[in-house]
Amino acid sequence: QVQLVESGGGSVQAGGSLTLSCAASGSIFRWVVQGWYRQAPGTQRELVSTINAGGGIDYADSVKGRFTISRDNAQNTVYLQMNSLKSEDTAVYYCNARIYSSPYSWDEYWGPGTQVTVSS
């Protein structure tokens, strides 16, 4: 079993910055992809950014140039540096990971979510 623990959410004024972190722990044989999704009230959960084991990175168009994802492989931790925050970035941010707990199969895991509120 794998656990994802998020931290770094909070409230900030528009134009400010926050850094989210997500630490994976438990039975980790190897990871496939780890990243962030977000969900604002009344909307569907959407991809923000992901990073895969090969180093490939994806960003939602809405955050390109403002958000940066990175990963500390030794700590099994992924970070999301969020700059130039806008009110429309307000949402609950969820860490997501696809991880092999054995050599044979992977599972998808979600963190409990962390609130990010940007006031204008």
Side-chain angles (χ1 to χ4, degrees):
Q1 191 63 286
V2 173
Q3 297 79 40
L4 302 179
V5 178
E6 301 140 337
S7 61
S11 298
V12 65
Q13 289 191 331
S17 300
L18 284 173
T19 300
L20 305 182
S21 63
C22 173
S25 63
S27 180
I28 300 172
F29 178 73
R30 67 180 175 92
W31 66 286
V32 179
V33 63
Q34 196 167 350
W36 296 91
Y37 290 71
R38 67 186 181 186
Q39 187 170 18
T43 69
Q44 290 188 328
R45 192 171 296 187
E46 63 176 5
L47 180 146
V48 177
S49 181
T50 60
I51 182 169
N52 65 39
I57 291 176
D58 284 322
Y59 293 103
D61 287 343
S62 59
V63 306
K64 284 181 180 176
R66 301 188 297 121
F67 290 11
T68 303
I69 193 170
S70 61
R71 195 177 192 276
D72 183 333
N73 290 330
Q75 300 294 324
N76 286 320
T77 299
V78 66
Y79 302 94
L80 185 68
Q81 174 68 44
M82 305 185 293
N83 298 326
S84 302
L85 283 161
K86 305 175 181 179
S87 57
E88 51 262 46
D89 294 318
T90 295
V92 178
Y93 284 69
Y94 296 92
C95 181
N96 172 274
R98 296 176 187 175
I99 292 173
Y100 279 81
S101 296
S102 75
Y104 311 109
S105 66
W106 60 268
D107 289 296
E108 184 171 40
Y109 300 92
W110 290 92
T114 186
Q115 177 71 45
V116 171
T117 302
V118 184
S119 58
S120 56

